[in-house]
Amino acid sequence: MIFNKHTAKKTAEVLLQVNAIKLSPKEPFTWASGWKSPIYCDNRIILSFPPIRNYIRETMAKQIEKQYGKPDAIAGVATGAIGIGMLVAEYLGLPFIYVRPDAKGHGRKNQIEGFIEHGQNVVVVEDLISTGKSSLNAVKALRDAGINVKGMIAIFTYGFNVATENFEKENVFLQTLGNYETLLEQALETNYISEKDLATLSVWNSNPSEWNAE
């Protein structure tokens, strides 16, 4: 799922550097799903750091060109991937659109914002993959509009089995810059976490829906 180990390690390094990823095994976060988690990822913070956002932008853009050539447009998943998706589109000189979770209840009632024609090809840019539900919801909206989704690229994935199953079921090819396993390796190597923290974080990742902090 990741491009390569070097990219995953560099991505972990820069995300930890700007605290885009917060690890708190002793005082876990509560996700919108209700899951308790010792980790919280907010990749939007990278937009505030030009060298890091440029690294993410260029790495994503080059991988898109290598994997797909140039699609007709880049599609970002609202709201977390709008910023980085637009940067990738700008780097590639391509049109940009974004997909809302649901259609607006007023005005033109769009779910897909921006100009795209039926039958055109897009690559979807996402900031974070957890279960994949919201990401695949965007793919469905694009496909329902007659747009050909070539694949998806994301900054980071937690690597949950349920996400892998969901993407395979919907026949969506996903690649990510970084992943959970490499993040933990980098965090331990730089003393961001302890061996004890590592054990907790590993147990959580194996069964996140049932995990409770001790």
Side-chain angles (χ1 to χ4, degrees):
M1 190 178 290
I2 57 171
F3 301 150
N4 57 64
K5 190 70 173 183
H6 173 76
T7 300
K9 185 175 175 61
K10 177 65 176 178
T11 300
E13 178 186 328
V14 298
L15 294 180
L16 289 169
Q17 181 182 331
V18 297
N19 290 319
I21 290 177
K22 296 184 181 296
L23 301 175
S24 182
K26 295 177 181 177
E27 297 181 12
F29 304 95
T30 301
W31 288 3
S33 62
W35 288 5
K36 295 291 184 182
S37 169
I39 180 172
Y40 188 81
C41 183
D42 182 7
N43 290 330
R44 286 166 290 197
I45 197 170
I46 68 173
L47 298 173
S48 300
F49 298 87
I52 292 173
R53 77 180 183 220
N54 288 342
Y55 165 74
I56 298 293
R57 174 192 68 171
E58 291 171 21
T59 305
M60 278 191 158
K62 289 174 181 177
Q63 184 60 28
I64 288 171
E65 281 193 303
K66 179 181 178 181
Q67 186 73 41
Y68 306 104
K70 277 196 176 182
D72 297 306
I74 297 296
V77 180
T79 59
I82 291 177
I84 194 65
M86 189 164 60
L87 288 170
V88 170
E90 177 67 17
Y91 186 87
L92 292 171
L94 293 174
F96 175 72
I97 62 174
Y98 70 87
V99 187
R100 298 174 179 273
D102 300 289
K104 286 196 301 185
H106 59 280
R108 296 173 63 190
K109 300 184 178 180
N110 292 338
Q111 184 171 3
I112 300 169
E113 298 287 2
F115 179 78
I116 186 87
E117 294 183 328
H118 188 280
Q120 287 192 308
N121 298 318
V122 303
V123 173
V124 180
V125 169
E126 181 63 288
D127 68 325
L128 173 69
I129 304 294
S130 52
T131 64
K133 183 178 179 181
S134 59
S135 307
L136 291 170
N137 181 62
V139 171
K140 182 179 185 302
L142 290 164
R143 286 174 169 172
D144 287 349
I147 298 162
N148 181 31
V149 176
K150 302 289 288 183
M152 183 179 295
I153 184 169
I155 299 173
F156 181 79
T157 177
Y158 288 109
F160 297 145
N161 289 334
V162 65
T164 301
E165 293 167 2
N166 286 339
F167 276 88
E168 288 178 352
K169 180 180 178 182
E170 297 302 326
N171 194 29
V172 177
F173 181 66
L174 170 69
Q175 287 186 302
T176 65
L177 273 63
N179 65 353
Y180 191 76
E181 178 184 355
T182 309
L183 173 76
L184 295 190
E185 291 174 4
Q186 182 67 18
L188 185 64
E189 183 180 312
T190 56
N191 297 316
Y192 193 90
I193 60 172
S194 66
E195 290 281 359
K196 183 178 179 181
D197 292 335
L198 176 64
T200 299
L201 290 159
S202 298
V203 169
W204 168 78
N205 188 252
S206 67
N207 191 11
S209 64
E210 302 297 327
W211 183 83
N212 284 302
E214 295 181 356

